[in-house]
Amino acid sequence: MEIIDLIQKGESSTLEFKSTLRIDVKTGRHEKFIEHSVLKTLAAFLNSDGGTLLIGIDDNKNILGLDKDFNSFSKGDKKDEFQKHFDNIFGTNIGNRFQRYLKVEFPEVDGKTICSVTIKEKSEEEVYITNDAGLETFYIRRQASTIDLKASETVKYIKEHWKATNSSSINAEVTELLNMFSSKEIFQNEMNRLLADKGSIYYQEIKEHWNSYSIFDDSPFLNEIAINQLNRS
């Protein structure tokens, strides 16, 4: 589909417009919250069914182009500087390993250059945005908007959308860690450490089932690996 036709369709669960990458059109200043708005849309596409982000188009389908962003860079090759800056904030806040899902292009529409970022499919793993304080937020697309999920909603969403891959991954990684443990005390200390690591892929699984007073509970997941460990202690 031609870009102009895509624009005329309007925003949807798989299409989003942003006026700029980093410039507040009201003040003309470089603002972090503008960049964050772009990044959370891309993270939401990666966590949903993919989609296309068009930068240089406002919410009313007006074609603005990238001049405001281009003029914020001091070096001569404005498009190259834009691309480098995009790559940098994406890698820092989402992760360089997710770059492979992106297709970044700079089409001309009505004589103006815009940026098209296409994500063809959902990521093979869940994607978070990390802010300056190191806190992670999980976003998805819903209708024509990007929303963040609460912790409990995130757990349920991840289990529903990455159930097959995550289940085996969690069990394999935790079991591998347990192979290194030589006692119940070490096992408990490691579980406490993992609980403190909210970036751990098994954090929510452990949080749901871990009992700080005993390594036994009604969770087949933890019960099995705990018994296996104690048998070797």
Side-chain angles (χ1 to χ4, degrees):
M1 179 181 294
E2 295 291 333
I3 289 290
I4 192 65
D5 296 327
L6 200 60
I7 295 171
Q8 292 306 314
K9 284 184 62 178
E11 293 181 315
S12 67
S13 61
T14 57
L15 180 63
E16 177 82 1
F17 303 148
K18 295 296 180 187
S19 296
T20 64
L21 172 64
R22 68 176 192 166
I23 299 299
D24 185 340
V25 294
K26 295 180 180 178
T27 66
R29 292 196 295 265
H30 173 195
E31 300 286 359
K32 288 285 188 180
F33 74 88
I34 300 294
E35 294 177 345
H36 181 76
S37 180
V38 169
L39 292 167
K40 72 180 188 179
T41 297
L42 296 176
F45 283 153
L46 286 163
N47 286 328
S48 304
D49 297 311
T52 298
L53 171 65
L54 298 180
I55 305 174
I57 310 293
D58 70 14
D59 290 338
N60 295 317
K61 307 178 187 178
N62 295 313
I63 302 167
L64 306 179
L66 300 177
D67 284 350
K68 291 185 182 296
D69 281 321
F70 282 174
N71 292 334
S72 70
F73 298 109
S74 58
K75 294 185 179 180
D77 192 336
K78 305 296 187 181
K79 187 184 296 185
D80 185 60
E81 290 301 303
F82 181 102
Q83 178 78 70
K84 288 179 180 178
H85 185 70
F86 174 87
D87 290 345
N88 180 56
I89 62 174
F90 183 91
T92 300
N93 294 277
I94 295 180
N96 287 317
R97 68 184 183 279
F98 298 106
Q99 290 273 6
R100 63 190 180 93
Y101 292 99
L102 308 184
K103 181 180 181 181
V104 181
E105 300 174 296
F106 294 90
E108 297 282 333
V109 183
D110 287 351
K112 297 178 181 178
T113 301
I114 67 170
C115 178
S116 170
V117 185
T118 302
I119 296 171
K120 292 186 176 181
E121 59 185 354
K122 182 183 70 177
S123 169
E124 293 178 357
E125 61 179 295
E126 58 269 27
V127 177
Y128 297 85
I129 288 185
T130 306
N131 64 16
D132 293 338
L135 299 176
E136 295 180 327
T137 307
F138 186 82
Y139 293 96
I140 64 168
R141 289 293 287 182
R142 184 165 294 168
Q143 302 304 320
S145 62
T146 294
I147 63 169
D148 62 303
L149 299 185
K150 295 184 296 184
S152 58
E153 294 173 326
T154 298
V155 173
K156 183 177 181 181
Y157 185 92
I158 289 173
K159 285 184 175 180
E160 290 175 350
H161 290 75
W162 288 278
K163 184 176 181 180
T165 55
N166 278 5
S167 177
S168 59
S169 175
I170 289 171
N171 279 282
E173 294 199 33
V174 174
T175 301
E176 183 178 353
L177 283 172
L178 288 173
N179 287 334
M180 298 184 293
F181 300 159
S182 58
S183 71
K184 179 178 177 179
E185 181 181 0
I186 295 176
F187 173 82
Q188 182 170 351
N189 289 340
E190 182 64 10
M191 290 300 101
N192 288 333
R193 184 188 70 78
L194 290 174
L195 276 174
D197 179 15
K198 291 183 172 57
S200 167
I201 64 169
Y202 24 73
Y203 166 73
Q204 292 294 349
E205 182 76 31
I206 293 170
K207 181 179 179 181
E208 286 185 350
H209 300 296
W210 174 249
N211 182 329
S212 60
Y213 301 102
S214 170
I215 62 174
F216 297 100
D217 60 16
D218 61 355
S219 164
F221 169 72
L222 283 181
N223 203 33
E224 180 181 353
I225 57 179
I227 291 173
N228 290 339
Q229 174 57 30
L230 287 179
N231 287 337
R232 300 206 316 270
S233 299

PDB file of all heavy atoms in Angstrom, residues 77-97:
ATOM      1  N   ASP A  77      24.630  16.200   7.282  1.00  0.00           N
ATOM      2  CA  ASP A  77      23.752  15.147   6.776  1.00  0.00           C
ATOM      3  C   ASP A  77      22.627  14.921   7.781  1.00  0.00           C
ATOM      4  O   ASP A  77      22.727  14.103   8.698  1.00  0.00           O
ATOM      5  CB  ASP A  77      24.541  13.855   6.559  1.00  0.00           C
ATOM      6  CG  ASP A  77      23.756  12.812   5.776  1.00  0.00           C
ATOM      7  OD1 ASP A  77      22.512  12.873   5.782  1.00  0.00           O
ATOM      8  OD2 ASP A  77      24.386  11.914   5.171  1.00  0.00           O
ATOM      9  N   LYS A  78      21.542  15.665   7.625  1.00  0.00           N
ATOM     10  CA  LYS A  78      20.463  15.649   8.602  1.00  0.00           C
ATOM     11  C   LYS A  78      19.779  14.278   8.704  1.00  0.00           C
ATOM     12  O   LYS A  78      19.451  13.818   9.800  1.00  0.00           O
ATOM     13  CB  LYS A  78      19.416  16.711   8.241  1.00  0.00           C
ATOM     14  CG  LYS A  78      19.984  18.114   8.082  1.00  0.00           C
ATOM     15  CD  LYS A  78      20.567  18.640   9.389  1.00  0.00           C
ATOM     16  CE  LYS A  78      20.965  20.096   9.258  1.00  0.00           C
ATOM     17  NZ  LYS A  78      21.554  20.637  10.500  1.00  0.00           N
ATOM     18  N   LYS A  79      19.565  13.645   7.562  1.00  0.00           N
ATOM     19  CA  LYS A  79      18.911  12.332   7.581  1.00  0.00           C
ATOM     20  C   LYS A  79      19.763  11.305   8.314  1.00  0.00           C
ATOM     21  O   LYS A  79      19.256  10.487   9.091  1.00  0.00           O
ATOM     22  CB  LYS A  79      18.618  11.864   6.152  1.00  0.00           C
ATOM     23  CG  LYS A  79      17.792  10.581   6.079  1.00  0.00           C
ATOM     24  CD  LYS A  79      17.619  10.102   4.647  1.00  0.00           C
ATOM     25  CE  LYS A  79      16.828  11.091   3.823  1.00  0.00           C
ATOM     26  NZ  LYS A  79      16.563  10.570   2.455  1.00  0.00           N
ATOM     27  N   ASP A  80      21.061  11.349   8.079  1.00  0.00           N
ATOM     28  CA  ASP A  80      21.974  10.431   8.748  1.00  0.00           C
ATOM     29  C   ASP A  80      21.986  10.675  10.258  1.00  0.00           C
ATOM     30  O   ASP A  80      21.989   9.725  11.052  1.00  0.00           O
ATOM     31  CB  ASP A  80      23.385  10.585   8.179  1.00  0.00           C
ATOM     32  CG  ASP A  80      24.358   9.574   8.765  1.00  0.00           C
ATOM     33  OD1 ASP A  80      24.121   8.364   8.600  1.00  0.00           O
ATOM     34  OD2 ASP A  80      25.348   9.999   9.386  1.00  0.00           O
ATOM     35  N   GLU A  81      21.977  11.940  10.659  1.00  0.00           N
ATOM     36  CA  GLU A  81      21.955  12.275  12.080  1.00  0.00           C
ATOM     37  C   GLU A  81      20.645  11.820  12.729  1.00  0.00           C
ATOM     38  O   GLU A  81      20.627  11.348  13.868  1.00  0.00           O
ATOM     39  CB  GLU A  81      22.151  13.781  12.271  1.00  0.00           C
ATOM     40  CG  GLU A  81      23.548  14.265  11.944  1.00  0.00           C
ATOM     41  CD  GLU A  81      24.610  13.587  12.797  1.00  0.00           C
ATOM     42  OE1 GLU A  81      24.515  13.669  14.033  1.00  0.00           O
ATOM     43  OE2 GLU A  81      25.519  12.959  12.218  1.00  0.00           O
ATOM     44  N   PHE A  82      19.556  11.999  12.011  1.00  0.00           N
ATOM     45  CA  PHE A  82      18.251  11.532  12.490  1.00  0.00           C
ATOM     46  C   PHE A  82      18.292  10.028  12.710  1.00  0.00           C
ATOM     47  O   PHE A  82      17.857   9.534  13.759  1.00  0.00           O
ATOM     48  CB  PHE A  82      17.179  11.898  11.457  1.00  0.00           C
ATOM     49  CG  PHE A  82      15.776  11.489  11.829  1.00  0.00           C
ATOM     50  CD1 PHE A  82      14.873  12.426  12.320  1.00  0.00           C
ATOM     51  CD2 PHE A  82      15.333  10.181  11.673  1.00  0.00           C
ATOM     52  CE1 PHE A  82      13.569  12.068  12.648  1.00  0.00           C
ATOM     53  CE2 PHE A  82      14.041   9.806  12.003  1.00  0.00           C
ATOM     54  CZ  PHE A  82      13.156  10.759  12.488  1.00  0.00           C
ATOM     55  N   GLN A  83      18.806   9.285  11.736  1.00  0.00           N
ATOM     56  CA  GLN A  83      18.879   7.827  11.823  1.00  0.00           C
ATOM     57  C   GLN A  83      19.751   7.389  12.999  1.00  0.00           C
ATOM     58  O   GLN A  83      19.384   6.484  13.761  1.00  0.00           O
ATOM     59  CB  GLN A  83      19.445   7.258  10.527  1.00  0.00           C
ATOM     60  CG  GLN A  83      19.624   5.742  10.514  1.00  0.00           C
ATOM     61  CD  GLN A  83      18.328   4.991  10.284  1.00  0.00           C
ATOM     62  OE1 GLN A  83      17.777   5.027   9.195  1.00  0.00           O
ATOM     63  NE2 GLN A  83      17.850   4.298  11.314  1.00  0.00           N
ATOM     64  N   LYS A  84      20.901   8.052  13.168  1.00  0.00           N
ATOM     65  CA  LYS A  84      21.794   7.707  14.267  1.00  0.00           C
ATOM     66  C   LYS A  84      21.128   7.956  15.619  1.00  0.00           C
ATOM     67  O   LYS A  84      21.251   7.152  16.546  1.00  0.00           O
ATOM     68  CB  LYS A  84      23.090   8.518  14.171  1.00  0.00           C
ATOM     69  CG  LYS A  84      24.021   8.093  13.052  1.00  0.00           C
ATOM     70  CD  LYS A  84      25.259   8.978  13.027  1.00  0.00           C
ATOM     71  CE  LYS A  84      26.208   8.562  11.911  1.00  0.00           C
ATOM     72  NZ  LYS A  84      27.396   9.457  11.838  1.00  0.00           N
ATOM     73  N   HIS A  85      20.433   9.074  15.721  1.00  0.00           N
ATOM     74  CA  HIS A  85      19.773   9.406  16.976  1.00  0.00           C
ATOM     75  C   HIS A  85      18.653   8.406  17.266  1.00  0.00           C
ATOM     76  O   HIS A  85      18.498   7.952  18.410  1.00  0.00           O
ATOM     77  CB  HIS A  85      19.206  10.824  16.928  1.00  0.00           C
ATOM     78  CG  HIS A  85      18.621  11.271  18.231  1.00  0.00           C
ATOM     79  ND1 HIS A  85      19.387  11.544  19.340  1.00  0.00           N
ATOM     80  CD2 HIS A  85      17.332  11.467  18.618  1.00  0.00           C
ATOM     81  CE1 HIS A  85      18.608  11.898  20.352  1.00  0.00           C
ATOM     82  NE2 HIS A  85      17.358  11.850  19.939  1.00  0.00           N
ATOM     83  N   PHE A  86      17.899   8.065  16.250  1.00  0.00           N
ATOM     84  CA  PHE A  86      16.842   7.055  16.409  1.00  0.00           C
ATOM     85  C   PHE A  86      17.436   5.739  16.882  1.00  0.00           C
ATOM     86  O   PHE A  86      16.935   5.127  17.836  1.00  0.00           O
ATOM     87  CB  PHE A  86      16.094   6.869  15.093  1.00  0.00           C
ATOM     88  CG  PHE A  86      15.084   5.754  15.128  1.00  0.00           C
ATOM     89  CD1 PHE A  86      13.788   5.986  15.569  1.00  0.00           C
ATOM     90  CD2 PHE A  86      15.424   4.463  14.748  1.00  0.00           C
ATOM     91  CE1 PHE A  86      12.853   4.957  15.624  1.00  0.00           C
ATOM     92  CE2 PHE A  86      14.507   3.431  14.796  1.00  0.00           C
ATOM     93  CZ  PHE A  86      13.216   3.684  15.236  1.00  0.00           C
ATOM     94  N   ASP A  87      18.491   5.282  16.217  1.00  0.00           N
ATOM     95  CA  ASP A  87      19.131   4.020  16.591  1.00  0.00           C
ATOM     96  C   ASP A  87      19.622   4.064  18.035  1.00  0.00           C
ATOM     97  O   ASP A  87      19.512   3.080  18.772  1.00  0.00           O
ATOM     98  CB  ASP A  87      20.311   3.715  15.663  1.00  0.00           C
ATOM     99  CG  ASP A  87      19.876   3.359  14.254  1.00  0.00           C
ATOM    100  OD1 ASP A  87      18.685   3.066  14.054  1.00  0.00           O
ATOM    101  OD2 ASP A  87      20.741   3.378  13.355  1.00  0.00           O
ATOM    102  N   ASN A  88      20.161   5.198  18.434  1.00  0.00           N
ATOM    103  CA  ASN A  88      20.718   5.336  19.779  1.00  0.00           C
ATOM    104  C   ASN A  88      19.640   5.248  20.860  1.00  0.00           C
ATOM    105  O   ASN A  88      19.783   4.488  21.825  1.00  0.00           O
ATOM    106  CB  ASN A  88      21.462   6.664  19.900  1.00  0.00           C
ATOM    107  CG  ASN A  88      22.068   6.855  21.275  1.00  0.00           C
ATOM    108  OD1 ASN A  88      22.847   6.039  21.758  1.00  0.00           O
ATOM    109  ND2 ASN A  88      21.691   7.943  21.926  1.00  0.00           N
ATOM    110  N   ILE A  89      18.552   5.997  20.694  1.00  0.00           N
ATOM    111  CA  ILE A  89      17.521   5.981  21.735  1.00  0.00           C
ATOM    112  C   ILE A  89      16.771   4.647  21.746  1.00  0.00           C
ATOM    113  O   ILE A  89      16.345   4.181  22.803  1.00  0.00           O
ATOM    114  CB  ILE A  89      16.542   7.163  21.601  1.00  0.00           C
ATOM    115  CG1 ILE A  89      15.781   7.123  20.279  1.00  0.00           C
ATOM    116  CG2 ILE A  89      17.281   8.489  21.770  1.00  0.00           C
ATOM    117  CD1 ILE A  89      14.693   8.193  20.174  1.00  0.00           C
ATOM    118  N   PHE A  90      16.638   4.033  20.584  1.00  0.00           N
ATOM    119  CA  PHE A  90      15.984   2.720  20.535  1.00  0.00           C
ATOM    120  C   PHE A  90      16.841   1.688  21.256  1.00  0.00           C
ATOM    121  O   PHE A  90      16.351   0.922  22.093  1.00  0.00           O
ATOM    122  CB  PHE A  90      15.742   2.290  19.096  1.00  0.00           C
ATOM    123  CG  PHE A  90      15.001   0.984  18.971  1.00  0.00           C
ATOM    124  CD1 PHE A  90      13.607   0.962  18.899  1.00  0.00           C
ATOM    125  CD2 PHE A  90      15.677  -0.228  18.922  1.00  0.00           C
ATOM    126  CE1 PHE A  90      12.917  -0.235  18.798  1.00  0.00           C
ATOM    127  CE2 PHE A  90      14.995  -1.432  18.821  1.00  0.00           C
ATOM    128  CZ  PHE A  90      13.609  -1.435  18.759  1.00  0.00           C
ATOM    129  N   GLY A  91      18.140   1.672  20.944  1.00  0.00           N
ATOM    130  CA  GLY A  91      19.031   0.698  21.571  1.00  0.00           C
ATOM    131  C   GLY A  91      19.155   0.896  23.065  1.00  0.00           C
ATOM    132  O   GLY A  91      19.183  -0.073  23.830  1.00  0.00           O
ATOM    133  N   THR A  92      19.188   2.145  23.512  1.00  0.00           N
ATOM    134  CA  THR A  92      19.348   2.448  24.935  1.00  0.00           C
ATOM    135  C   THR A  92      18.103   2.114  25.733  1.00  0.00           C
ATOM    136  O   THR A  92      18.194   1.574  26.839  1.00  0.00           O
ATOM    137  CB  THR A  92      19.684   3.943  25.126  1.00  0.00           C
ATOM    138  OG1 THR A  92      20.904   4.242  24.442  1.00  0.00           O
ATOM    139  CG2 THR A  92      19.830   4.290  26.600  1.00  0.00           C
ATOM    140  N   ASN A  93      16.936   2.410  25.195  1.00  0.00           N
ATOM    141  CA  ASN A  93      15.692   2.280  25.959  1.00  0.00           C
ATOM    142  C   ASN A  93      14.937   0.984  25.727  1.00  0.00           C
ATOM    143  O   ASN A  93      14.163   0.555  26.588  1.00  0.00           O
ATOM    144  CB  ASN A  93      14.771   3.460  25.642  1.00  0.00           C
ATOM    145  CG  ASN A  93      15.326   4.775  26.126  1.00  0.00           C
ATOM    146  OD1 ASN A  93      15.174   5.138  27.288  1.00  0.00           O
ATOM    147  ND2 ASN A  93      15.991   5.500  25.237  1.00  0.00           N
ATOM    148  N   ILE A  94      15.123   0.359  24.570  1.00  0.00           N
ATOM    149  CA  ILE A  94      14.426  -0.897  24.278  1.00  0.00           C
ATOM    150  C   ILE A  94      15.411  -2.051  24.151  1.00  0.00           C
ATOM    151  O   ILE A  94      15.215  -3.105  24.730  1.00  0.00           O
ATOM    152  CB  ILE A  94      13.571  -0.768  22.992  1.00  0.00           C
ATOM    153  CG1 ILE A  94      12.446   0.252  23.220  1.00  0.00           C
ATOM    154  CG2 ILE A  94      13.000  -2.121  22.590  1.00  0.00           C
ATOM    155  CD1 ILE A  94      11.537   0.465  22.025  1.00  0.00           C
ATOM    156  N   GLY A  95      16.486  -1.854  23.396  1.00  0.00           N
ATOM    157  CA  GLY A  95      17.498  -2.899  23.277  1.00  0.00           C
ATOM    158  C   GLY A  95      17.930  -3.115  21.843  1.00  0.00           C
ATOM    159  O   GLY A  95      17.086  -3.198  20.934  1.00  0.00           O
ATOM    160  N   ASN A  96      19.231  -3.193  21.613  1.00  0.00           N
ATOM    161  CA  ASN A  96      19.752  -3.357  20.254  1.00  0.00           C
ATOM    162  C   ASN A  96      19.340  -4.680  19.617  1.00  0.00           C
ATOM    163  O   ASN A  96      19.256  -4.785  18.393  1.00  0.00           O
ATOM    164  CB  ASN A  96      21.281  -3.243  20.269  1.00  0.00           C
ATOM    165  CG  ASN A  96      21.753  -1.825  20.489  1.00  0.00           C
ATOM    166  OD1 ASN A  96      21.208  -0.885  19.904  1.00  0.00           O
ATOM    167  ND2 ASN A  96      22.754  -1.638  21.338  1.00  0.00           N
ATOM    168  N   ARG A  97      19.072  -5.700  20.448  1.00  0.00           N
ATOM    169  CA  ARG A  97      18.721  -7.000  19.869  1.00  0.00           C
ATOM    170  C   ARG A  97      17.372  -6.975  19.160  1.00  0.00           C
ATOM    171  O   ARG A  97      17.053  -7.887  18.403  1.00  0.00           O
ATOM    172  CB  ARG A  97      18.731  -8.078  20.946  1.00  0.00           C
ATOM    173  CG  ARG A  97      17.651  -7.968  22.006  1.00  0.00           C
ATOM    174  CD  ARG A  97      17.851  -9.048  23.071  1.00  0.00           C
ATOM    175  NE  ARG A  97      16.810  -9.062  24.085  1.00  0.00           N
ATOM    176  CZ  ARG A  97      16.784  -8.246  25.123  1.00  0.00           C
ATOM    177  NH1 ARG A  97      17.720  -7.321  25.266  1.00  0.00           N
ATOM    178  NH2 ARG A  97      15.818  -8.337  26.024  1.00  0.00           N
TER     179      ARG A  97
END
